[in-house]
């Protein structure tokens, strides 16, 4: 066998092994000096002002941290009292997303005392939000309380679903069975193979490894950071815990108090923001390492033909 043919065969074998593997590796580098100065345990990241970069919402202290943009290293402006008081609800967590497809961000709160999720509509604009309480939108099937909630399109059907942690540290999904313009959330069930083992589980959801589906970063409040990789498909997810997805990330002293995924450096991938037990803030930039994927197979064949 000619050397070039042998090399090509070895590359093909490695490619096939990758296709059947269940894990990826993602390398993270610390950039803590670029993090905003939040101190709360309940945070989320989205483009709050419609200027094209990710900002940070701190629901514990009702603050917004506005990013300076993508023209250089991020710097942050702070706005106090940025989010509304939601009546009798003592919010435990909040999440942001365009729930009615009108181009601005709405809020969903998780509540301690009433075991439900509550809607707050943005009746203003993407640049100038104005909030209107929309009532309870989903109950708590866990039999206790909802500790943390995220809006995301977990089944890749074009609308926003709700993923929440509840009593016992389990994680469940309320699927949007309505439309992007008129959501209606229906309890789908627990995500198998994933959980924290105790209450107060925090989570952040995003595509960490660039394979087109949603991975989950989580921690029990005050515990260590963990990651579950989606080894299924964007439409039919299957989660396996994979420590290699957090290569380079260190759990803060005192444990994790606050988790969010955002594109802090405007390079198109998910970076990781964490709060520590002593009001410290940690930012890790995603320097993704992935095996050779199917999209590059044509290039490989061209090199060795």
């Amino acid at each position: 066998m000619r050397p070039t043919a042998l090399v090509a065969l070895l590359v093909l074998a490695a490619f096939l092994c990758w296709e059947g593997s269940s894990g990826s590796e993602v390398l993270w580098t610390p950039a803590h000096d670029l993090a905003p100065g939040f101190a709360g345990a309940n945070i989320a990241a989205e483009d709050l002002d419609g200027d094209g970069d990710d900002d940070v919402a701190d629901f514990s202290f009702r603050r917004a941290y506005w990013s300076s943009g993508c023209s250089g290293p991020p710097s942050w402006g702070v706005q106090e009292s940025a989010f509304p008081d939601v009546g009798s609800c003592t919010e435990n967590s909040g999440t942001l997303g365009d729930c009615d497809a009108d181009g601005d961000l709405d809020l969903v709160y998780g509540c301690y005392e009433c075991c439900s999720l509550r809607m707050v509509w943005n009746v203003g604009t993407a640049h100038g939000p104005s909030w209107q309480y929309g009532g309870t939108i989903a109950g708590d099937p866990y039999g206790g309380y909802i500790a943390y909630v995220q809006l995301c399109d977990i089944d890749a059907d074009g609308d926003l679903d709700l993923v929440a942690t509840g009593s016992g540290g389990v994680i469940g999904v309320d699927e949007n069975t309505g439309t992007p313009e008129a959501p209606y959330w229906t309890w789908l069930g627990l995500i198998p193979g994933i959980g924290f083992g105790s209450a107060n589980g925090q989570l952040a959801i995003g595509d960490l490894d660039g394979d087109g589906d949603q991975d989950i970063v989580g921690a029990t409040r005050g515990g260590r950071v963990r990651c579950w990789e989606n080894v299924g498909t964007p439409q039919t997810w299957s989660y396996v815990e994979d420590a290699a997805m957090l290569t380079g990330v260190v759990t803060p002293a005192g444990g994790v108090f606050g988790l969010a995924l955002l594109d802090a450096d405007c390079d198109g991938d998910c970076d990781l923001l964490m709060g520590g037990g002593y009001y410290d803030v940690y930012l890790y930039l995603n320097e993704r390492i992935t095996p050779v994927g199917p999209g590059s197979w044509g290039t490989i064949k061209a090199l060795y033909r």
Side-chain angles (χ1 to χ4, degrees):
M1 181 179 293
R2 291 184 300 170
T4 54
L6 177 60
V7 171
L9 182 60
L10 292 174
V11 171
L12 175 60
F15 169 77
L16 293 175
C17 288
W18 175 81
E19 281 287 280
S21 68
S22 61
S24 298
E25 183 181 24
V26 181
L27 174 67
W28 305 80
T29 57
H32 308 323
D33 57 326
L34 301 180
F38 77 89
N42 303 306
I43 59 173
E46 289 287 349
D47 183 5
L48 299 177
D49 52 4
D51 65 350
D53 55 43
D54 281 342
D55 310 295
V56 175
D58 179 348
F59 296 107
S60 296
F61 293 95
R62 302 187 186 281
R63 297 183 186 128
Y65 292 89
W66 307 101
S67 174
S68 60
C70 296
S71 58
S75 61
W76 306 88
V78 184
Q79 178 188 351
E80 302 289 346
S81 303
F83 301 100
D85 183 6
V86 192
S88 62
C89 174
T90 303
E91 80 281 358
N92 183 33
S93 69
T95 182
L96 294 147
D98 187 0
C99 295
D100 51 7
D102 64 350
D104 56 41
L105 294 175
D106 308 297
L107 300 178
V108 174
Y109 278 107
C111 301
Y112 269 128
E113 73 277 7
C114 58
C115 306
S116 65
L117 297 174
R118 296 187 173 191
M119 189 78 228
V120 183
W121 297 104
N122 183 358
V123 295
T125 66
H127 303 281
S130 177
W131 307 104
Q132 179 177 300
Y133 178 52
T136 299
I137 60 172
D140 176 15
Y142 308 107
Y145 62 87
I146 295 171
Y148 221 79
V149 59
Q150 288 274 283
L151 280 163
C152 69
D153 185 7
I154 197 168
D155 52 5
D157 64 351
D159 54 35
L160 290 176
D161 309 298
L162 289 164
V163 182
T165 62
S167 302
V170 294
I171 299 178
V173 177
D174 284 281
E175 182 185 6
N176 185 356
T177 55
T179 67
E181 297 78 17
Y184 184 83
W185 287 284
T186 303
W187 173 245
L188 182 63
L190 299 178
I191 299 179
I194 180 171
F196 303 103
S198 63
N200 293 322
Q202 307 166 80
L203 73 160
I205 301 175
D207 183 5
L208 302 186
D209 52 4
D211 63 353
D213 55 36
Q214 301 294 313
D215 308 301
I216 296 177
V217 180
T220 302
R221 188 169 298 178
R224 66 182 178 90
V225 62
R226 302 164 67 183
C227 183
W228 289 267
E229 180 187 3
N230 183 0
V231 296
T233 69
Q235 295 77 22
T236 307
W237 24 265
S238 176
Y239 285 97
V240 174
E241 186 167 5
D242 187 357
M245 296 280 281
L246 293 174
T247 300
V249 175
V250 178
T251 296
V256 176
F257 289 83
L259 272 176
L261 291 170
L262 73 164
D263 187 4
D265 53 2
C266 301
D267 65 349
D269 57 29
C270 293
D271 306 308
L272 176 62
L273 185 67
M274 290 193 297
Y278 303 107
Y279 299 105
D280 298 316
V281 189
Y282 303 87
L283 176 64
Y284 288 91
L285 302 181
N286 184 340
E287 306 293 347
R288 190 167 58 233
I289 301 175
T290 54
V292 175
S296 58
W297 180 235
T299 302
I300 295 172
K301 288 193 294 184
L303 289 174
Y304 294 104
R305 64 184 177 185

